[in-house]
Amino acid sequence: MNAMAWLCAMGAILLWASFATLVSFAPNVPPFLLTGLALCAGSLTCLHRVRQWRVPPRTLAFGVTCLFSYNAGLVLAFRLAPIVEANLINYLWPLILVLLGTTVWHGVDCIAKLLGALLGFGGCILAITSGSGAVAFSGDYAVGYAMALLAALIWAVYSLGPRWLPPFSSWAVGGFCLGAGLLAIASHLVFEDTVALSGVETGWILAIGLGPLGIAFVLWDRAMRSANAAQVGILGYCTPVLSMICLALAAQVTERNWSMVFLACALIMAGVGVATVGPDVWRRMSGVRMRSE
């Protein structure tokens, strides 16, 4: 994977890591309204390339539907199930991305990517539960869990979209954001009570839109176009760890087992390393063994 792809992927992940912190500063804004306005604001990051928003109807429908469904699915999951469990299920998306993005289903390539994904998911569990292991799935929240799983699947499919659809510009993400934002605002008008926003809340929504729901989507799209999907997917497990660090720096969490956070980072980086260099190392080792025999 080239350096630019790594930078784009990490840029997107860093912006997503700030999402929970930014949302915490606007606690009274209804979720669908916040999502809708932020996505519309996110489209502004691509406005200077508005001509490149022109894509075939199928591509536009794919992008708008995925962005709206992913965010709506998460909103419903967090409403209908405990956040820790729902968040863990949502972070199955890198593993799903690895499975969907792996074209070789035999040999060391497949083994390395799956092992790397499992190491990353282990780090994700440690980061979200802070090593407490306090995860208790209950049948009472089955609908919420299903929505979280649906969101994970949608994001993995969306991430691979540029490989399956006719060629389109990364700047077309602006049109996807605008369409998804309008759908979210319509959902707000149907399902939520309208509220008056303060100037401070509007500022935080703008920050969310320009960063995690704007520039981040463009960077992620570019990373997925030029990088190995499996490796980028495992790198996505850095998001919950960095999110916890951002919340701590913003004094939004006061108690955190930092040794578990560092261990989570180590597992995630090990997962990325195994998926990236594992196949080459194992091939060399196999070659050495064959020569020695």
Side-chain angles (χ1 to χ4, degrees), residues 86-124:
N87 211 20
L88 274 177
I89 293 174
N90 172 53
Y91 275 106
L92 285 171
W93 70 257
L95 180 57
I96 297 172
L97 182 59
V98 170
L99 295 175
L100 293 177
T102 299
T103 55
V104 180
W105 284 101
H106 56 82
V108 295
D109 290 288
C110 182
I111 295 172
K113 290 172 183 176
L114 289 177
L115 180 58
L118 291 174
L119 284 171
F121 189 58
C124 178

mmCIF file of all heavy atoms in Angstrom, residues 86-124:
data_model
loop_
_atom_site.group_PDB
_atom_site.id
_atom_site.type_symbol
_atom_site.label_atom_id
_atom_site.label_comp_id
_atom_site.label_asym_id
_atom_site.label_seq_id
_atom_site.Cartn_x
_atom_site.Cartn_y
_atom_site.Cartn_z
ATOM 1 N N ALA A 86 -23.689 -2.580 21.061
ATOM 2 C CA ALA A 86 -23.996 -2.135 19.702
ATOM 3 C C ALA A 86 -22.746 -1.641 18.994
ATOM 4 O O ALA A 86 -22.544 -1.899 17.798
ATOM 5 C CB ALA A 86 -25.051 -1.026 19.746
ATOM 6 N N ASN A 87 -21.872 -0.960 19.731
ATOM 7 C CA ASN A 87 -20.645 -0.439 19.134
ATOM 8 C C ASN A 87 -19.712 -1.568 18.729
ATOM 9 O O ASN A 87 -19.054 -1.510 17.681
ATOM 10 C CB ASN A 87 -19.954 0.493 20.131
ATOM 11 C CG ASN A 87 -19.175 1.594 19.439
ATOM 12 O OD1 ASN A 87 -19.415 1.907 18.267
ATOM 13 N ND2 ASN A 87 -18.240 2.198 20.137
ATOM 14 N N LEU A 88 -19.643 -2.603 19.563
ATOM 15 C CA LEU A 88 -18.816 -3.752 19.215
ATOM 16 C C LEU A 88 -19.302 -4.418 17.931
ATOM 17 O O LEU A 88 -18.514 -4.776 17.061
ATOM 18 C CB LEU A 88 -18.812 -4.770 20.357
ATOM 19 C CG LEU A 88 -17.786 -4.556 21.470
ATOM 20 C CD1 LEU A 88 -17.960 -5.600 22.555
ATOM 21 C CD2 LEU A 88 -16.374 -4.594 20.922
ATOM 22 N N ILE A 89 -20.612 -4.586 17.821
ATOM 23 C CA ILE A 89 -21.160 -5.205 16.609
ATOM 24 C C ILE A 89 -20.887 -4.321 15.411
ATOM 25 O O ILE A 89 -20.518 -4.803 14.329
ATOM 26 C CB ILE A 89 -22.671 -5.452 16.775
ATOM 27 C CG1 ILE A 89 -22.918 -6.505 17.855
ATOM 28 C CG2 ILE A 89 -23.291 -5.911 15.455
ATOM 29 C CD1 ILE A 89 -24.372 -6.706 18.195
ATOM 30 N N ASN A 90 -21.023 -3.021 15.575
ATOM 31 C CA ASN A 90 -20.762 -2.093 14.473
ATOM 32 C C ASN A 90 -19.325 -2.214 13.984
ATOM 33 O O ASN A 90 -19.057 -2.125 12.780
ATOM 34 C CB ASN A 90 -21.049 -0.657 14.919
ATOM 35 C CG ASN A 90 -20.612 0.370 13.894
ATOM 36 O OD1 ASN A 90 -20.985 0.296 12.734
ATOM 37 N ND2 ASN A 90 -19.789 1.315 14.313
ATOM 38 N N TYR A 91 -18.388 -2.444 14.930
ATOM 39 C CA TYR A 91 -16.980 -2.541 14.536
ATOM 40 C C TYR A 91 -16.612 -3.907 13.982
ATOM 41 O O TYR A 91 -15.424 -4.226 13.854
ATOM 42 C CB TYR A 91 -16.067 -2.142 15.693
ATOM 43 C CG TYR A 91 -15.873 -0.648 15.722
ATOM 44 C CD1 TYR A 91 -16.505 0.133 16.675
ATOM 45 C CD2 TYR A 91 -15.119 -0.014 14.747
ATOM 46 C CE1 TYR A 91 -16.368 1.507 16.682
ATOM 47 C CE2 TYR A 91 -14.975 1.353 14.735
ATOM 48 C CZ TYR A 91 -15.596 2.117 15.704
ATOM 49 O OH TYR A 91 -15.462 3.471 15.695
ATOM 50 N N LEU A 92 -17.621 -4.676 13.605
ATOM 51 C CA LEU A 92 -17.364 -5.840 12.765
ATOM 52 C C LEU A 92 -17.119 -5.425 11.318
ATOM 53 O O LEU A 92 -16.704 -6.246 10.498
ATOM 54 C CB LEU A 92 -18.561 -6.806 12.814
ATOM 55 C CG LEU A 92 -18.710 -7.647 14.087
ATOM 56 C CD1 LEU A 92 -20.041 -8.378 14.072
ATOM 57 C CD2 LEU A 92 -17.561 -8.642 14.220
ATOM 58 N N TRP A 93 -17.367 -4.140 10.993
ATOM 59 C CA TRP A 93 -17.234 -3.737 9.586
ATOM 60 C C TRP A 93 -15.818 -3.925 9.034
ATOM 61 O O TRP A 93 -15.676 -4.308 7.863
ATOM 62 C CB TRP A 93 -17.745 -2.316 9.357
ATOM 63 C CG TRP A 93 -16.941 -1.182 9.919
ATOM 64 C CD1 TRP A 93 -17.219 -0.459 11.034
ATOM 65 C CD2 TRP A 93 -15.747 -0.599 9.366
ATOM 66 N NE1 TRP A 93 -16.271 0.516 11.227
ATOM 67 C CE2 TRP A 93 -15.372 0.464 10.215
ATOM 68 C CE3 TRP A 93 -14.974 -0.869 8.240
ATOM 69 C CZ2 TRP A 93 -14.239 1.241 9.979
ATOM 70 C CZ3 TRP A 93 -13.847 -0.091 7.997
ATOM 71 C CH2 TRP A 93 -13.501 0.946 8.860
ATOM 72 N N PRO A 94 -14.756 -3.682 9.809
ATOM 73 C CA PRO A 94 -13.441 -3.970 9.210
ATOM 74 C C PRO A 94 -13.268 -5.452 8.881
ATOM 75 O O PRO A 94 -12.669 -5.804 7.864
ATOM 76 C CB PRO A 94 -12.447 -3.521 10.298
ATOM 77 C CG PRO A 94 -13.203 -2.509 11.107
ATOM 78 C CD PRO A 94 -14.600 -3.040 11.136
ATOM 79 N N LEU A 95 -13.790 -6.344 9.756
ATOM 80 C CA LEU A 95 -13.686 -7.780 9.480
ATOM 81 C C LEU A 95 -14.495 -8.150 8.236
ATOM 82 O O LEU A 95 -14.039 -8.910 7.386
ATOM 83 C CB LEU A 95 -14.177 -8.577 10.689
ATOM 84 C CG LEU A 95 -14.134 -10.110 10.568
ATOM 85 C CD1 LEU A 95 -12.725 -10.584 10.259
ATOM 86 C CD2 LEU A 95 -14.651 -10.749 11.852
ATOM 87 N N ILE A 96 -15.699 -7.579 8.124
ATOM 88 C CA ILE A 96 -16.517 -7.835 6.935
ATOM 89 C C ILE A 96 -15.822 -7.302 5.689
ATOM 90 O O ILE A 96 -15.823 -7.937 4.628
ATOM 91 C CB ILE A 96 -17.910 -7.190 7.088
ATOM 92 C CG1 ILE A 96 -18.661 -7.828 8.270
ATOM 93 C CG2 ILE A 96 -18.731 -7.346 5.808
ATOM 94 C CD1 ILE A 96 -19.959 -7.128 8.614
ATOM 95 N N LEU A 97 -15.184 -6.140 5.834
ATOM 96 C CA LEU A 97 -14.448 -5.549 4.715
ATOM 97 C C LEU A 97 -13.299 -6.446 4.286
ATOM 98 O O LEU A 97 -13.042 -6.626 3.083
ATOM 99 C CB LEU A 97 -13.926 -4.166 5.113
ATOM 100 C CG LEU A 97 -13.169 -3.360 4.059
ATOM 101 C CD1 LEU A 97 -14.040 -3.123 2.834
ATOM 102 C CD2 LEU A 97 -12.720 -2.022 4.640
ATOM 103 N N VAL A 98 -12.615 -7.041 5.261
ATOM 104 C CA VAL A 98 -11.530 -7.969 4.948
ATOM 105 C C VAL A 98 -12.075 -9.169 4.179
ATOM 106 O O VAL A 98 -11.507 -9.606 3.167
ATOM 107 C CB VAL A 98 -10.823 -8.431 6.238
ATOM 108 C CG1 VAL A 98 -9.864 -9.576 5.945
ATOM 109 C CG2 VAL A 98 -10.058 -7.275 6.869
ATOM 110 N N LEU A 99 -13.194 -9.717 4.653
ATOM 111 C CA LEU A 99 -13.781 -10.892 4.005
ATOM 112 C C LEU A 99 -14.236 -10.569 2.584
ATOM 113 O O LEU A 99 -14.011 -11.349 1.652
ATOM 114 C CB LEU A 99 -14.957 -11.409 4.828
ATOM 115 C CG LEU A 99 -14.611 -11.940 6.220
ATOM 116 C CD1 LEU A 99 -15.888 -12.296 6.984
ATOM 117 C CD2 LEU A 99 -13.703 -13.148 6.130
ATOM 118 N N LEU A 100 -14.881 -9.411 2.409
ATOM 119 C CA LEU A 100 -15.372 -9.040 1.080
ATOM 120 C C LEU A 100 -14.237 -8.626 0.155
ATOM 121 O O LEU A 100 -14.326 -8.799 -1.063
ATOM 122 C CB LEU A 100 -16.381 -7.896 1.187
ATOM 123 C CG LEU A 100 -17.711 -8.210 1.883
ATOM 124 C CD1 LEU A 100 -18.571 -6.950 1.958
ATOM 125 C CD2 LEU A 100 -18.457 -9.307 1.147
ATOM 126 N N GLY A 101 -13.170 -8.058 0.734
ATOM 127 C CA GLY A 101 -12.085 -7.533 -0.088
ATOM 128 C C GLY A 101 -10.977 -8.519 -0.367
ATOM 129 O O GLY A 101 -10.029 -8.205 -1.092
ATOM 130 N N THR A 102 -11.067 -9.719 0.216
ATOM 131 C CA THR A 102 -10.045 -10.731 -0.009
ATOM 132 C C THR A 102 -10.407 -11.549 -1.238
ATOM 133 O O THR A 102 -11.426 -12.227 -1.260
ATOM 134 C CB THR A 102 -9.905 -11.663 1.211
ATOM 135 O OG1 THR A 102 -9.526 -10.881 2.350
ATOM 136 C CG2 THR A 102 -8.848 -12.713 0.957
ATOM 137 N N THR A 103 -9.587 -11.449 -2.260
ATOM 138 C CA THR A 103 -9.873 -12.149 -3.509
ATOM 139 C C THR A 103 -9.240 -13.531 -3.566
ATOM 140 O O THR A 103 -9.610 -14.356 -4.377
ATOM 141 C CB THR A 103 -9.364 -11.328 -4.710
ATOM 142 O OG1 THR A 103 -7.976 -11.052 -4.533
ATOM 143 C CG2 THR A 103 -10.124 -10.010 -4.815
ATOM 144 N N VAL A 104 -8.263 -13.765 -2.713
ATOM 145 C CA VAL A 104 -7.599 -15.065 -2.697
ATOM 146 C C VAL A 104 -8.072 -15.826 -1.465
ATOM 147 O O VAL A 104 -7.766 -15.447 -0.340
ATOM 148 C CB VAL A 104 -6.060 -14.917 -2.654
ATOM 149 C CG1 VAL A 104 -5.396 -16.284 -2.646
ATOM 150 C CG2 VAL A 104 -5.587 -14.097 -3.839
ATOM 151 N N TRP A 105 -8.835 -16.874 -1.666
ATOM 152 C CA TRP A 105 -9.417 -17.599 -0.534
ATOM 153 C C TRP A 105 -8.643 -18.872 -0.203
ATOM 154 O O TRP A 105 -9.216 -19.864 0.218
ATOM 155 C CB TRP A 105 -10.880 -17.908 -0.828
ATOM 156 C CG TRP A 105 -11.711 -16.700 -0.657
ATOM 157 C CD1 TRP A 105 -12.190 -15.876 -1.629
ATOM 158 C CD2 TRP A 105 -12.119 -16.126 0.569
ATOM 159 N NE1 TRP A 105 -12.873 -14.832 -1.084
ATOM 160 C CE2 TRP A 105 -12.856 -14.960 0.265
ATOM 161 C CE3 TRP A 105 -11.941 -16.471 1.911
ATOM 162 C CZ2 TRP A 105 -13.416 -14.148 1.244
ATOM 163 C CZ3 TRP A 105 -12.503 -15.663 2.886
ATOM 164 C CH2 TRP A 105 -13.219 -14.524 2.553
ATOM 165 N N HIS A 106 -7.344 -18.861 -0.408
ATOM 166 C CA HIS A 106 -6.515 -19.983 -0.019
ATOM 167 C C HIS A 106 -5.103 -19.471 0.168
ATOM 168 O O HIS A 106 -4.737 -18.403 -0.305
ATOM 169 C CB HIS A 106 -6.543 -21.093 -1.082
ATOM 170 C CG HIS A 106 -6.130 -20.615 -2.453
ATOM 171 N ND1 HIS A 106 -4.815 -20.493 -2.822
ATOM 172 C CD2 HIS A 106 -6.859 -20.224 -3.519
ATOM 173 C CE1 HIS A 106 -4.744 -20.044 -4.060
ATOM 174 N NE2 HIS A 106 -5.973 -19.872 -4.507
ATOM 175 N N GLY A 107 -4.299 -20.231 0.885
ATOM 176 C CA GLY A 107 -2.906 -19.865 1.049
ATOM 177 C C GLY A 107 -2.707 -18.826 2.138
ATOM 178 O O GLY A 107 -3.595 -18.470 2.899
ATOM 179 N N VAL A 108 -1.454 -18.334 2.198
ATOM 180 C CA VAL A 108 -1.047 -17.465 3.292
ATOM 181 C C VAL A 108 -1.711 -16.087 3.217
ATOM 182 O O VAL A 108 -1.851 -15.421 4.238
ATOM 183 C CB VAL A 108 0.493 -17.307 3.322
ATOM 184 C CG1 VAL A 108 1.144 -18.630 3.630
ATOM 185 C CG2 VAL A 108 1.006 -16.743 2.001
ATOM 186 N N ASP A 109 -2.091 -15.621 2.039
ATOM 187 C CA ASP A 109 -2.727 -14.300 1.934
ATOM 188 C C ASP A 109 -4.013 -14.257 2.746
ATOM 189 O O ASP A 109 -4.229 -13.349 3.546
ATOM 190 C CB ASP A 109 -3.022 -13.969 0.470
ATOM 191 C CG ASP A 109 -1.766 -13.713 -0.328
ATOM 192 O OD1 ASP A 109 -1.146 -12.660 -0.123
ATOM 193 O OD2 ASP A 109 -1.381 -14.572 -1.126
ATOM 194 N N CYS A 110 -4.858 -15.227 2.520
ATOM 195 C CA CYS A 110 -6.134 -15.279 3.220
ATOM 196 C C CYS A 110 -5.923 -15.462 4.722
ATOM 197 O O CYS A 110 -6.551 -14.789 5.534
ATOM 198 C CB CYS A 110 -7.000 -16.407 2.658
ATOM 199 S SG CYS A 110 -8.633 -16.533 3.414
ATOM 200 N N ILE A 111 -5.013 -16.372 5.096
ATOM 201 C CA ILE A 111 -4.752 -16.631 6.509
ATOM 202 C C ILE A 111 -4.244 -15.373 7.205
ATOM 203 O O ILE A 111 -4.685 -15.024 8.303
ATOM 204 C CB ILE A 111 -3.732 -17.780 6.664
ATOM 205 C CG1 ILE A 111 -4.326 -19.087 6.139
ATOM 206 C CG2 ILE A 111 -3.310 -17.930 8.122
ATOM 207 C CD1 ILE A 111 -3.335 -20.224 6.084
ATOM 208 N N ALA A 112 -3.308 -14.679 6.566
ATOM 209 C CA ALA A 112 -2.725 -13.481 7.169
ATOM 210 C C ALA A 112 -3.769 -12.390 7.368
ATOM 211 O O ALA A 112 -3.815 -11.739 8.415
ATOM 212 C CB ALA A 112 -1.582 -12.955 6.286
ATOM 213 N N LYS A 113 -4.620 -12.189 6.379
ATOM 214 C CA LYS A 113 -5.635 -11.136 6.490
ATOM 215 C C LYS A 113 -6.673 -11.453 7.550
ATOM 216 O O LYS A 113 -7.085 -10.587 8.318
ATOM 217 C CB LYS A 113 -6.287 -10.912 5.127
ATOM 218 C CG LYS A 113 -5.335 -10.257 4.123
ATOM 219 C CD LYS A 113 -5.917 -10.208 2.734
ATOM 220 C CE LYS A 113 -4.920 -9.609 1.751
ATOM 221 N NZ LYS A 113 -5.412 -9.635 0.365
ATOM 222 N N LEU A 114 -7.101 -12.710 7.603
ATOM 223 C CA LEU A 114 -8.082 -13.099 8.617
ATOM 224 C C LEU A 114 -7.483 -13.019 10.020
ATOM 225 O O LEU A 114 -8.136 -12.536 10.954
ATOM 226 C CB LEU A 114 -8.598 -14.504 8.331
ATOM 227 C CG LEU A 114 -9.521 -14.646 7.114
ATOM 228 C CD1 LEU A 114 -9.889 -16.110 6.903
ATOM 229 C CD2 LEU A 114 -10.776 -13.808 7.283
ATOM 230 N N LEU A 115 -6.243 -13.481 10.171
ATOM 231 C CA LEU A 115 -5.580 -13.407 11.472
ATOM 232 C C LEU A 115 -5.393 -11.952 11.893
ATOM 233 O O LEU A 115 -5.633 -11.590 13.051
ATOM 234 C CB LEU A 115 -4.229 -14.121 11.413
ATOM 235 C CG LEU A 115 -3.412 -14.120 12.713
ATOM 236 C CD1 LEU A 115 -4.202 -14.747 13.846
ATOM 237 C CD2 LEU A 115 -2.089 -14.861 12.510
ATOM 238 N N GLY A 116 -4.983 -11.104 10.943
ATOM 239 C CA GLY A 116 -4.826 -9.689 11.250
ATOM 240 C C GLY A 116 -6.142 -9.046 11.662
ATOM 241 O O GLY A 116 -6.199 -8.248 12.604
ATOM 242 N N ALA A 117 -7.227 -9.412 10.972
ATOM 243 C CA ALA A 117 -8.548 -8.862 11.306
ATOM 244 C C ALA A 117 -8.987 -9.302 12.694
ATOM 245 O O ALA A 117 -9.556 -8.514 13.458
ATOM 246 C CB ALA A 117 -9.572 -9.302 10.258
ATOM 247 N N LEU A 118 -8.723 -10.557 13.046
ATOM 248 C CA LEU A 118 -9.118 -11.052 14.367
ATOM 249 C C LEU A 118 -8.296 -10.384 15.470
ATOM 250 O O LEU A 118 -8.828 -10.061 16.547
ATOM 251 C CB LEU A 118 -8.951 -12.568 14.423
ATOM 252 C CG LEU A 118 -9.946 -13.362 13.557
ATOM 253 C CD1 LEU A 118 -9.590 -14.847 13.563
ATOM 254 C CD2 LEU A 118 -11.380 -13.145 14.043
ATOM 255 N N LEU A 119 -7.005 -10.147 15.234
ATOM 256 C CA LEU A 119 -6.189 -9.419 16.209
ATOM 257 C C LEU A 119 -6.721 -7.997 16.395
ATOM 258 O O LEU A 119 -6.817 -7.496 17.517
ATOM 259 C CB LEU A 119 -4.732 -9.376 15.745
ATOM 260 C CG LEU A 119 -3.909 -10.652 15.911
ATOM 261 C CD1 LEU A 119 -2.565 -10.512 15.200
ATOM 262 C CD2 LEU A 119 -3.709 -10.974 17.386
ATOM 263 N N GLY A 120 -7.078 -7.357 15.276
ATOM 264 C CA GLY A 120 -7.629 -6.008 15.355
ATOM 265 C C GLY A 120 -8.935 -5.970 16.111
ATOM 266 O O GLY A 120 -9.183 -5.055 16.911
ATOM 267 N N PHE A 121 -9.799 -6.962 15.882
ATOM 268 C CA PHE A 121 -11.077 -6.993 16.583
ATOM 269 C C PHE A 121 -10.867 -7.231 18.075
ATOM 270 O O PHE A 121 -11.596 -6.691 18.905
ATOM 271 C CB PHE A 121 -11.984 -8.074 15.991
ATOM 272 C CG PHE A 121 -13.400 -8.021 16.516
ATOM 273 C CD1 PHE A 121 -14.164 -6.876 16.368
ATOM 274 C CD2 PHE A 121 -13.948 -9.109 17.166
ATOM 275 C CE1 PHE A 121 -15.458 -6.817 16.842
ATOM 276 C CE2 PHE A 121 -15.250 -9.060 17.655
ATOM 277 C CZ PHE A 121 -16.010 -7.911 17.494
ATOM 278 N N GLY A 122 -9.855 -8.032 18.412
ATOM 279 C CA GLY A 122 -9.524 -8.211 19.827
ATOM 280 C C GLY A 122 -9.121 -6.897 20.473
ATOM 281 O O GLY A 122 -9.531 -6.583 21.598
ATOM 282 N N GLY A 123 -8.320 -6.109 19.757
ATOM 283 C CA GLY A 123 -7.957 -4.789 20.269
ATOM 284 C C GLY A 123 -9.157 -3.878 20.399
ATOM 285 O O GLY A 123 -9.263 -3.093 21.351
ATOM 286 N N CYS A 124 -10.083 -3.993 19.446
ATOM 287 C CA CYS A 124 -11.307 -3.195 19.488
ATOM 288 C C CYS A 124 -12.128 -3.530 20.739
ATOM 289 O O CYS A 124 -12.655 -2.634 21.413
ATOM 290 C CB CYS A 124 -12.126 -3.458 18.234
ATOM 291 S SG CYS A 124 -13.696 -2.592 18.151
#
